[in-house]
Amino acid sequence: MTLQITEVCVNCWACVDVCPNEAIYADRPHLLIDDAKCTECLGDHAEPQCAAICPIECAIVGELGDPLNPPGSLTGIPPATLAELGLLAAGGR
Amino acid sequence: MELPVISNAPAEKSGGCSASGCGSAPEALAHLPEDIRRKVQDHPCYSEEAHHHFARMHVAVAPACNIQCHYCNRKYDCANESRPGVVSELLDPEQAVRKVLAVAAAIPQMSVLGIAGPGDALANPRRTFATFRALAEKAPDLKLCLSTNGLMLPQYVDEIARHNIDHVTITINCLDAEIGARIYPWIYWQNCRLRGVEAARILIGQQQKGLEMLAARGILVKVNSVLIPGVNDAHLPEVSRTVKAKGAFLHNVMPLIAEAGHGTWYGLTGQRSPSAAELQALQDACAGDMAMMRHCRQCRADAVGLLGEDRGAEFTLDRIDAMDIDYAAAMARREEVRAALLGRLAAARTPAVTEAVTAAARPVLMAVAAKNGVVGEHFGHAREFLVYEASPAGVRFIGHRQAARYCGGADRCGDGDAAPESILERTIAALAGCEAVLCAKVGIEPWGRLEAAGIAPNGEHALEPIEDAVRAVYAEMAAAGKLAQAAAERKVA
Ligand code: SF4
Ligand code: SF4
């Protein structure tokens, strides 16, 4: 029961400030989620907070590497366009 | 806490004073009440006069954002708002304070410290206010300001007032949620990501409420709008009117910067940026309602120095650590420099012509065919005239008058076949109330017509700075005994 941050993270710290469990910590090259602390926000919020504020598609993934914000879901830029431009982030790890 | 570096890409060269937006362009603040003018007289971002002399810096302590704009892609850094280019060094509050104190010691013209990103100042309240709190204590002479998208503004207005932050910039692109939904794909609000018109309605509501609350507390509010052709262009004059009515003292319309390479939604969907002419036309349309800021340089979130320059590279953390700084002496030095600069600005504003001008002299309106801050345009080429008032108290900018253009070419200025009567008549009518028109050159035909209309053409101050020229002409009028007569008598005479 824990989420993870992927290499497309831009280190904007937005998730750190909204995590109810202080589960997100600084690391290189990007922030990480402490599996011992992350509860996926169950009991605190309806949505996992890190994923609700994260501006980067595919930066936050579930246990199976499934992105909570898949390509196109935040920017509205169609995945096909992203792929064409080589901007499509690898979802998961 | 350590904020990792987003990118080390080299700083983009920020545009220095562009030819048209700078120089002694009209002082946009002339109409403001005295107390506000006093507050902004040494603020480089608000006062066109001050921006040549006083320096500002931004510290990048606010990485997080709580909304998405279609002109921004957090992966590539926002090209709009106050942060084009790349923010190379994110700072924690303690580092930011050290940097500010070091810069303020090295650049005694430093008068303003702002927090503008790279995310949203109020989406990072802990980092933003910790920085302000420490600076208010250690460098109380610096003006503090912040920029925000407004979403969290109502919640933090009291805290803003407590930290003695006297300038806040809100980016307001629309009042209409339908338009907003075409600009903002989502907001983070009360623990949820909201989308579409509902999200835009909340954001707009928070912006307007925040603006009203700041105004009620006497905190200066500037409004920034990004001009997006086909989306909010027709709507911005209404934005301008509304924010003015609610107490904003300045409105700054900035062009959308959208290129596919920026990776933004607008960039990738072919939304175009406005042309310079569109921007100018919109600024003019809004200027009727309130002061427009035309010298804004859209600086980076970590900009350091005078507007148009960025000395950030001189003040990296390693270099700062190696500096040996006497903070108290630095503050005293800033005070001296500030007093000297304000003195110089005041002296430049108040005429050195008072020998000829008696206190009883009447004020005179003059029109100027200006170019780049000087009397630089031919009468027949001028698209607009800047109107100044000269009086014993000094010279001040009054407004713009649109000209009807009639001159076909540089060498036929005003006396060729391209001068239909009606155009000249319309221009002369637009200059009603002015007693002189200063330009680089006037043709014979308009010369006679202007004189007949009681407007003295004057080409003797070509290429002089506008205010100097207006002052000189006023002194000449005084010396000729023209200022004792009432304006009405003069017309007849
Ligand atoms: S899912 Fe919730 S608890 Fe887990 S890291 Fe994200 S915000 Fe923290
Ligand atoms: S909000 Fe997303 S991009 Fe920002 S630091 Fe967290 S995981 Fe990274």
Side-chain angles (χ1 to χ4, degrees):
Chain A
M1 281 289 282
T2 173
L3 302 186
Q4 287 176 326
I5 295 177
T6 72
E7 68 282 356
V8 295
C9 164
V10 297
N11 293 306
C12 76
W13 290 74
C15 54
V16 180
D17 293 353
V18 298
C19 174
N21 298 313
E22 297 188 10
I24 303 172
Y25 61 96
D27 203 338
R28 303 275 177 152
H30 57 76
L31 306 182
L32 291 175
I33 294 176
D34 179 346
D35 345 330
K37 290 187 180 170
C38 174
T39 60
E40 293 198 17
C41 291
L42 281 183
D44 287 302
H45 300 287
E47 305 176 35
Q49 290 302 290
C50 51
I53 198 169
C54 178
I56 303 296
E57 292 160 355
C58 303
I60 303 214
V61 298
E63 264 168 11
L64 301 174
D66 47 313
L68 276 76
N69 298 304
S73 66
L74 300 183
T75 56
I77 301 167
T81 311
L82 290 172
E84 233 170 74
L85 295 159
L87 298 176
L88 195 54
R93 23 182 68 194
Chain B
M1 180 187 78
E2 192 194 357
L3 294 173
V5 167
I6 281 188
S7 161
N8 274 320
E12 235 176 50
K13 249 215 146 34
S14 50
C17 286
S18 74
S20 63
C22 192
S24 2
E27 176 59 61
L29 307 173
H31 71 293
L32 293 173
E34 186 52 35
D35 58 324
I36 295 185
R37 283 186 64 147
R38 244 197 328 274
K39 273 189 172 178
V40 298
Q41 62 183 352
D42 55 349
H43 197 308
C45 307
Y46 295 149
S47 163
E48 294 208 32
E49 268 182 340
H51 100 267
H52 294 286
H53 308 284
F54 288 100
R56 55 76 184 95
M57 80 181 278
H58 295 167
V59 281
V61 295
C65 197
N66 47 14
I67 69 173
Q68 175 72 50
C69 307
H70 273 324
Y71 45 71
C72 174
N73 181 335
R74 294 309 307 274
K75 266 189 244 177
Y76 306 101
D77 288 313
C78 181
N80 293 280
E81 304 270 2
S82 357
R83 50 197 184 81
V86 172
V87 174
S88 53
E89 194 179 39
L90 286 172
L91 304 173
D92 67 30
E94 186 267 330
Q95 293 168 325
V97 170
R98 265 196 293 147
K99 177 168 174 178
V100 172
L101 294 175
V103 170
I107 306 179
Q109 301 94 321
M110 254 281 286
S111 67
V112 173
L113 179 276
I115 296 181
D120 184 81
L122 298 181
N124 302 261
R126 226 168 21 81
R127 292 179 279 266
T128 294
F129 290 116
T131 307
F132 283 144
R133 199 175 307 121
L135 284 174
E137 191 188 307
K138 294 186 174 143
D141 60 314
L142 295 182
K143 288 176 188 300
L144 305 178
C145 58
L146 68 83
S147 297
T148 178
N149 59 42
L151 183 63
M152 298 308 285
L153 191 50
Q155 283 85 329
Y156 291 111
V157 164
D158 286 330
E159 181 130 23
I160 288 169
R162 237 193 328 277
H163 289 91
N164 201 21
I165 295 161
D166 55 9
H167 303 76
V168 172
T169 300
I170 316 174
T171 300
I172 298 180
N173 294 321
C174 57
L175 306 169
D176 177 332
E178 301 283 341
I179 294 174
R182 297 169 64 197
I183 302 173
Y184 309 106
W186 59 262
I187 68 172
Y188 173 82
W189 177 247
Q190 294 178 347
N191 301 108
C192 295
R193 196 187 311 258
L194 302 182
R195 298 166 191 267
V197 176
E198 181 199 8
R201 186 169 295 121
I202 292 169
L203 175 62
I204 292 164
Q206 291 289 101
Q207 290 170 338
Q208 295 299 314
K209 188 170 163 199
L211 164 55
E212 289 163 24
M213 290 170 77
L214 287 170
R217 283 164 181 74
I219 297 166
L220 293 184
V221 183
K222 182 188 87 185
V223 169
N224 273 352
S225 301
V226 179
L227 167 56
I228 310 160
V231 176
N232 69 348
D233 46 353
H235 182 53
L236 283 181
E238 187 188 340
V239 172
S240 202
R241 272 191 300 279
T242 303
V243 301
K244 183 196 181 186
K246 293 190 177 179
F249 84 107
L250 207 58
H251 187 202
N252 178 27
V253 177
M254 306 181 298
L256 170 73
I257 303 171
E259 279 168 35
H262 295 153
T264 64
W265 189 81
Y266 282 145
L268 294 173
T269 56
Q271 169 66 51
R272 67 179 181 87
S273 303
S275 67
E278 283 174 304
L279 176 66
Q280 169 83 50
L282 202 95
Q283 287 178 333
D284 288 345
C286 296
D289 297 313
M290 72 189 306
M292 289 298 302
M293 215 170 89
R294 293 167 196 265
H295 69 280
C296 173
R297 292 284 166 273
Q298 293 178 260
C299 3
R300 293 152 42 98
D302 61 351
V304 172
L306 290 167
L307 279 195
E309 72 173 19
D310 190 349
R311 297 175 56 183
E314 295 168 39
F315 301 97
T316 58
L317 289 176
D318 315 346
R319 293 191 184 193
I320 289 168
D321 283 338
M323 293 177 187
D324 179 21
I325 303 165
D326 179 342
Y327 296 108
M331 190 152 90
R333 174 97 187 94
R334 285 199 296 277
E335 187 44 47
E336 275 170 33
V337 167
R338 179 174 180 275
L341 282 173
L342 286 180
R344 242 172 48 208
L345 288 176
R349 264 196 307 264
T350 31
V353 295
T354 26
E355 319 88 64
V357 180
T358 63
R362 63 186 174 81
V364 169
L365 290 183
M366 297 183 209
V368 179
K371 198 176 184 176
N372 303 344
V374 298
V375 180
E377 192 57 279
H378 292 204
F379 178 79
H381 294 173
R383 288 171 182 278
E384 65 168 12
F385 292 87
L386 306 183
V387 175
Y388 284 78
E389 181 199 71
S391 74
V395 173
R396 68 188 183 111
F397 175 66
I398 299 291
H400 304 256
R401 304 271 178 90
Q402 293 304 316
R405 272 204 339 151
Y406 72 95
C407 182
D411 43 7
R412 309 184 299 190
C413 184
D415 40 16
D417 42 26
E421 299 285 281
S422 64
I423 294 183
L424 180 53
E425 265 160 36
R426 285 204 327 262
T427 298
I428 289 176
L431 298 181
C434 297
E435 296 183 34
V437 56
L438 282 53
C439 34
K441 200 175 168 193
V442 196
I444 302 285
E445 161 78 8
W447 184 287
R449 301 283 293 277
L450 282 163
E451 278 195 321
I455 305 170
N458 187 317
E460 283 159 33
H461 297 274
L463 301 182
E464 287 179 21
I466 295 170
E467 303 202 348
D468 294 354
V470 170
R471 203 172 294 128
V473 172
Y474 192 60
E476 289 158 19
M477 291 177 77
K482 291 184 183 161
L483 298 184
Q485 300 163 274
E489 291 170 32
R490 176 194 59 83
K491 268 249 164 78
V492 185

